[in-house]
Amino acid sequence: MTNFVVNEFQMGMGVMKKSLVIKRSIIVGGHKTSVSLEDDFWGALKEIALRHRVTLSDLVGSIDSQRRNGNLSSAVRLFVLNHYRQRIEAEASANPGPWPATSETQPGKSTD
């Protein structure tokens, strides 16, 4: 049996490297708490807060108050995922039509 360790893999146009989880302290509802997220999730969360003109603490506080179960870090990841899913759906609704038929959108298909 062979064991594989994957540190990086091809994704789209570049190489995506393994992301490290970063633990940061943040004030939520007047209390200091820590949230552990990959750097890309921190960046996306900051972008969303900026776009909605709220502080990072207020955004995380809103996420915290709406979560039903699981830990805060998981709730934040799901919030970010759903935010971008909704943006994609909104763009698709505004620009109806088929997805471009490329090798990137159709696994196993070659453009050769």
Side-chain angles (χ1 to χ4, degrees):
M1 177 185 225
T2 305
N3 291 325
F4 293 96
V5 177
V6 179
N7 290 326
E8 58 187 16
F9 56 95
Q10 286 296 110
M11 180 101 179
M13 295 169 38
V15 174
M16 187 173 180
K17 294 186 180 180
K18 184 177 177 183
S19 181
L20 298 176
V21 174
I22 299 168
K23 188 175 195 173
R24 294 191 176 143
S25 294
I26 188 166
I27 305 294
V28 176
H31 302 283
K32 189 175 181 180
T33 189
S34 62
V35 179
S36 298
L37 297 171
E38 294 78 7
D39 199 39
D40 289 341
F41 278 102
W42 280 116
L45 192 62
K46 289 175 185 177
E47 178 184 297
I48 294 166
L50 185 64
R51 177 178 282 250
H52 291 280
R53 296 186 176 136
V54 297
T55 66
L56 193 59
S57 291
D58 287 343
L59 180 59
V60 173
S62 175
I63 295 166
D64 187 37
S65 69
Q66 295 176 27
R67 73 182 161 120
R68 304 215 189 292
N69 47 24
N71 64 43
L72 182 55
S73 296
S74 294
V76 169
R77 285 186 190 91
L78 290 172
F79 172 82
V80 171
L81 175 65
N82 288 327
H83 172 83
Y84 286 105
R85 279 183 172 167
Q86 289 172 0
R87 281 185 55 186
I88 289 168
E89 288 173 7
E91 289 174 15
S93 294
N95 301 308
W99 282 84
T102 67
S103 61
E104 291 177 15
T105 59
Q106 296 183 358
K109 299 280 183 174
S110 176
T111 57
D112 295 336

